[in-house]
Structures are given as structure tokens and as C-alpha cells.
Amino acid sequence: MTTTTWIKNSDWVVAYDPDTASHKYMKNADVVFEDDLIVFTGRNYAGDADRTIDGRDVMVLPGTLDLHLHAYMEMHGKGFFEDLASKQMSMTQLFEYTWLLQDDRESAIASTEASVCDLLKSGCTTMAELYCDQPVSGLNTKHAEKAYDGWVEMLGKTGIRTYVCPMVQSGHWYTPDGKQHLYKWYEKEGLRHLDIALETIDHAMSHSSGRLHGMVGAAQADTCTEELFHQCKAAAEKRDIPLQTHASQSVMEHREMMRRHGKTPIEWLQSIGILGPNTLLGHAINIDQHPWINHHEHNDLKYLAETETTVVHCPRAFAQWGDMMHSLGGYRAAGVNMALGTDCYPHDMVEEMRIAGLLSKVASGHVDLLSTQDVFHVATLGAAKALGRDDLGRISVGAKADIALVDLKHPSMRPVRDPLKCLIYSGTAAAVRDVYVNGELMVKDRKVLSIDQDDALDRLQEGQNRALKRVPEMDWAHRSADQISPFCLPVEAEY
């Protein structure tokens, strides 16, 4: 039986304009969807409806898309990673700190559920979950099979639209001393791991919820061989799904790729045929023109634009250790398709849009290079283009009913003149009242319906406590969590 929902006479609707291939405002307008598809946008809807929602004091938005996060692990790091960077490895957290807080199965589930709650409550309706399980010593098939066991079913229950992306690699990096990063290689195991990852992707694509999709993942440009990249791309093309990898995310990676190939990471990926319209690069911040890189040639943006490769920008994660893209507006001006991701935490797409917009202005020194409209385009239509989807990131007839309702009476939104500017630069996720994914109500009056958020956070707290105790086992110097990341204020002793 078809269910028709009518959002009636909304103060503002951010609707898709096919003439400009962008968004436009509609005032005092209706949005109607039947089951999972939008069937009407405009004024004076004359049809019937099973449910009618009063649109007064509401802005109707397309749900945003978060195309790069590690929901299963990153939330463990709250209160630990914020002031960390390797001073002798060009101020990155990657090589010395990333894998210190090892999730276990129970805490990974809790972290994923808690992350999804944050995303949904910020108006995000689609995520690409990049599972980069880092083995303590090497990689083995049983480890990979166990890691993916039950993962798809768990994601299907969260309620968010998910691109399931199990990432594979030919080796991993580590540091023996906090000064240099080295690589442990297991190329054959990495290829076998791809077969397991593809089984997981195929399982997701056949899931009954209709909200799960597949994405092939090659972990990083510097940890995957050319052969593994080619097999990943072939698997993605066979399934007509995207491929994502991390690239140009640190100065150390740039130096390593120059040492190996005499090419930047972007240049190397271009030379082996990996870039293209179905390829997404996580980060691509430390490219040849970045001031920390200071490369003698500036061709990376040209390669990205010419191949129609998408860059998924995660500004907050890199700002945490003092780095930023130069700049989001500049990449778009060069013709690069851009999307947004939250990567670490918080998984709040309202905040991520704000940071992206502000840092672009700071990096470029140019207020007109990136407008509010551009930021929202990146978080919606740019991301949908990266996925090859013309039914996501927009309010239009035939699009998926992935919709967020923003409360214009929320204090952070008032006074209201230009509501999208208010949301992105002054609002908070708390202004998002209701969220629909695939036509199903997943957030009602700011409460997630598909997940018990308090229970997930309680379980995550327990998981973080366990992970903190294991830090000395993971650290090259066997330091405790408190030695690596002291509390930001003196802790008075209890007597």
C-alpha cells in the first residue's frame, strides 16, 4: 500500500532548479512524497495525503551526504586526539596516533550507532562508511571475515542510507620511534582480502532495506600496490559503483610517493589510470600547490578536474592538527567536483559545512570564492554527482524522499532572513527537527527513532575505557593514554 506524505505550506523549501542544476528557494510551498519518492514540489497541492505535516515555521531541505567517515572507530577518540600531532612528522596524527585506540567488536557497533545518531540529527541522510580495520600485526583472512561478520545487518538497522565501503590494503604504515614512518607489506593477503570485501559489498547491495549500497575501498595511495588499485577499480566498474581511497593527506605521504615514484600521490594515481568520474579521493589536501608541500609543479588540480575525479573534503579533522585545504573555493574554481565528509568526530554536517566555508575564506583570503550556496551544493549535489545519483541531494519530483525539516523558531535560527545562511553560519544541529530517509521518519522532534542513542553512548563509554587501557600495547614507546594525551586542566587529587 502506498503512503502519501504532504509537507504543507512550508515557509521555505530548498528545491532543485533543473535550469541551473542547483538549488533555489521556494516560499510557502508544498513537498509531497509517496513512500520513498518525491512526487510534487510547488504550491497548492490538490491531491490526497495519508499524512499532512504543517510546514509553517519550517524550512524543508534535501538531506546532506557525508561521503567519508569511519563511524566504527573515530568516536573512541573524543577527549584524546584533540591536541595531538607528531611534531617530527610534519604535524600529522596519522602515523603515530591513529591506531592507538583500538576498537573491539562491541565498541565498534556502539560507535557506529552513536555516529549515525549525530549524522541523522544534523540532517544528514546518506553516509559512506569506510571500514579500515587495522590489524595489530599484518593481515589475515580470518581477521577480515570476523571484522565484517554482521556489519551489513547492523548498518541496515541504523536507518541512514549507507554506502558500505570495506577498505583493503597491501600493507600498513607504522612508526618505530615517532620520527619516521615505515611500511609492513602483505600484498598477497591484501588481494585475498579484496575478495572478502567484495562479498560484503554484494551482500549490502542486495539488502532488503533499500538503503544500503556499495563502494569499493582501496585504503590509501601509499598502502596499496598498483595491482591492488587496478583490481579495485575493475571490481567497481563491474558493479557500476564508486571507488574511494585516501590520497594526499600528509606531507610524509607526499615525500614517500616522491621517493618511490618521483610523482605526487595524485600524479601517480593519474599515471596508473585510477582517477576518473567514479573515483573519490578522501582529503587531497596536501597536493602539490599546498604551502606545506611547495612542489615545483602545480598539476594536481588539473589532473583531478580533467578526469572528473571527486575530492571529499573533511575540514574539521585536518584543522584539528593545524592543516587546511588551500582552498575549497579554489578547487571548485579549478573545475574539481567536491563533496564533504566528517571523517572523525563530531559527525555533524551543519558544523562541517560551517568549517568548510570559513576555512575556505581564510585560506583564500577571498570572500567571494565560495558562497553559502556553493557550500550547500558541495554537501548535496556535489556528493550526489560523485555517487552517480541524480535522485539524491535534491528536492525534486522523482528524487528519493531523503528530507530534513528545520525549525525556524529555534533560537539559533532567529531572526530569520536568509534561512540557509542562518543554518550554516549561525545555526546548530539542534535546529533540525525531523528527518526522513527513503520516505521513512528516522528523526522525530530531534529524537532518533531507529537507535537508542543513550544506550549506544553508554556502550561506547565502556568501549573507550577499554581502548584507553590498551594504549601502551599499541604505542611505540609503550606510553599510557594519560602520558600521550594529558588532561587539559590539572586534576585535583581526591582525598
Side-chain angles (χ1 to χ4, degrees), residues 204-435:
M205 293 174 68
S206 64
H207 194 267
S208 60
S209 69
R211 295 188 303 268
L212 300 188
H213 314 276
M215 179 181 289
V216 178
Q220 295 98 9
D222 55 328
T223 63
C224 295
T225 62
E226 181 175 346
E227 181 181 5
L228 183 57
F229 265 119
H230 285 154
Q231 291 204 21
C232 285
K233 185 167 186 180
E237 290 175 344
K238 178 180 179 181
R239 292 163 175 79
D240 193 25
I241 60 176
L243 162 68
Q244 183 164 179
T245 189
H246 298 76
S248 294
Q249 57 179 337
S250 74
V251 175
M252 303 297 283
E253 175 199 347
H254 171 83
R255 291 174 180 169
E256 174 66 18
M257 298 302 277
M258 289 298 298
R259 183 191 68 79
R260 289 185 203 169
H261 309 292
K263 294 179 171 66
T264 71
I266 305 297
E267 187 180 12
W268 182 69
L269 290 171
Q270 189 271 343
S271 73
I272 65 171
I274 300 304
L275 301 185
N278 294 325
T279 298
L280 289 71
L281 301 186
H283 312 312
I285 282 182
N286 296 116
I287 64 172
D288 52 20
Q289 69 179 36
H290 191 285
W292 288 8
I293 300 298
N294 195 27
H295 195 58
H296 67 283
E297 292 181 317
H298 292 177
N299 293 317
D300 284 350
L301 286 184
K302 180 185 71 172
Y303 294 141
L304 294 171
E306 288 178 349
T307 58
E308 301 181 62
T309 300
T310 293
V311 170
V312 188
H313 182 34
C314 306
R316 189 209 168 276
F318 283 76
Q320 184 164 287
W321 64 68
D323 200 359
M324 63 179 171
M325 179 175 282
H326 288 259
S327 64
L328 176 55
Y331 280 45
R332 293 188 82 247
V336 180
N337 187 56
M338 301 296 297
L340 278 186
T342 56
D343 197 9
C344 300
Y345 58 85
H347 298 296
D348 178 344
M349 282 294 284
V350 174
E351 177 172 298
E352 207 71 35
M353 286 189 288
R354 177 180 303 133
I355 294 173
L358 292 174
L359 286 184
S360 181
K361 293 177 181 181
V362 171
S364 65
H366 198 317
V367 73
D368 296 328
L369 195 58
L370 188 79
S371 68
T372 305
Q373 179 184 15
D374 295 334
V375 174
F376 194 66
H377 184 104
V378 167
T380 52
L381 296 172
K385 179 180 179 181
L387 299 175
R389 300 288 296 263
D390 61 4
D391 60 347
L392 298 181
R394 69 202 70 202
I395 302 291
S396 66
V397 173
K400 290 291 185 180
D402 291 2
I403 297 170
L405 275 59
V406 176
D407 179 6
L408 298 179
K409 288 291 189 180
H410 188 271
S412 70
M413 294 295 294
R414 302 178 73 185
V416 178
R417 175 181 173 270
D418 186 327
L420 199 54
K421 285 182 179 177
C422 289
L423 177 66
I424 292 176
Y425 287 111
S426 302
T428 67
V432 177
R433 192 188 75 190
D434 304 318
V435 177

Side-chain angles (χ1 to χ4, degrees), residues 168-196:
V168 298
Q169 56 199 33
S170 308
H172 68 265
W173 23 250
Y174 67 96
T175 179
D177 53 13
K179 300 177 182 179
Q180 58 181 324
H181 76 288
L182 305 175
Y183 293 81
K184 179 179 178 63
W185 296 101
Y186 32 81
E187 298 177 24
K188 292 181 179 179
E189 290 84 352
L191 293 170
R192 286 197 290 268
H193 190 184
L194 175 59
D195 292 334
I196 300 169

Side-chain angles (χ1 to χ4, degrees), residues 74-259:
E74 294 291 358
M75 289 273 276
H76 295 79
K78 270 192 179 180
F80 181 81
F81 286 122
E82 287 79 4
D83 293 333
L84 292 180
S86 296
K87 310 303 188 295
Q88 299 188 62
M89 287 194 281
S90 300
M91 300 301 289
T92 182
Q93 287 183 355
L94 292 174
F95 307 106
E96 186 173 11
Y97 300 120
T98 297
W99 302 108
L100 288 182
L101 296 183
Q102 285 285 309
D103 56 277
D104 52 42
R105 180 176 176 79
E106 293 76 14
S107 67
I109 293 171
S111 179
T112 301
E113 292 174 347
S115 300
V116 169
C117 286
D118 284 350
L119 283 176
L120 287 170
K121 291 171 76 172
S122 71
C124 179
T125 53
T126 296
M127 72 173 187
E129 166 62 350
L130 280 58
Y131 195 105
C132 303
D133 192 38
Q134 176 79 352
V136 175
S137 58
L139 183 80
N140 62 74
T141 301
K142 290 183 179 179
H143 179 99
E145 291 173 339
K146 185 176 180 181
Y148 299 142
D149 184 33
W151 185 42
V152 170
E153 287 72 17
M154 182 268 296
L155 291 171
K157 293 176 182 178
T158 63
I160 197 168
R161 186 180 302 282
T162 302
Y163 277 77
V164 177
C165 184
M167 304 204 92
V168 298
Q169 56 199 33
S170 308
H172 68 265
W173 23 250
Y174 67 96
T175 179
D177 53 13
K179 300 177 182 179
Q180 58 181 324
H181 76 288
L182 305 175
Y183 293 81
K184 179 179 178 63
W185 296 101
Y186 32 81
E187 298 177 24
K188 292 181 179 179
E189 290 84 352
L191 293 170
R192 286 197 290 268
H193 190 184
L194 175 59
D195 292 334
I196 300 169
L198 293 175
E199 290 177 5
T200 303
I201 289 169
D202 292 339
H203 181 193
M205 293 174 68
S206 64
H207 194 267
S208 60
S209 69
R211 295 188 303 268
L212 300 188
H213 314 276
M215 179 181 289
V216 178
Q220 295 98 9
D222 55 328
T223 63
C224 295
T225 62
E226 181 175 346
E227 181 181 5
L228 183 57
F229 265 119
H230 285 154
Q231 291 204 21
C232 285
K233 185 167 186 180
E237 290 175 344
K238 178 180 179 181
R239 292 163 175 79
D240 193 25
I241 60 176
L243 162 68
Q244 183 164 179
T245 189
H246 298 76
S248 294
Q249 57 179 337
S250 74
V251 175
M252 303 297 283
E253 175 199 347
H254 171 83
R255 291 174 180 169
E256 174 66 18
M257 298 302 277
M258 289 298 298
R259 183 191 68 79

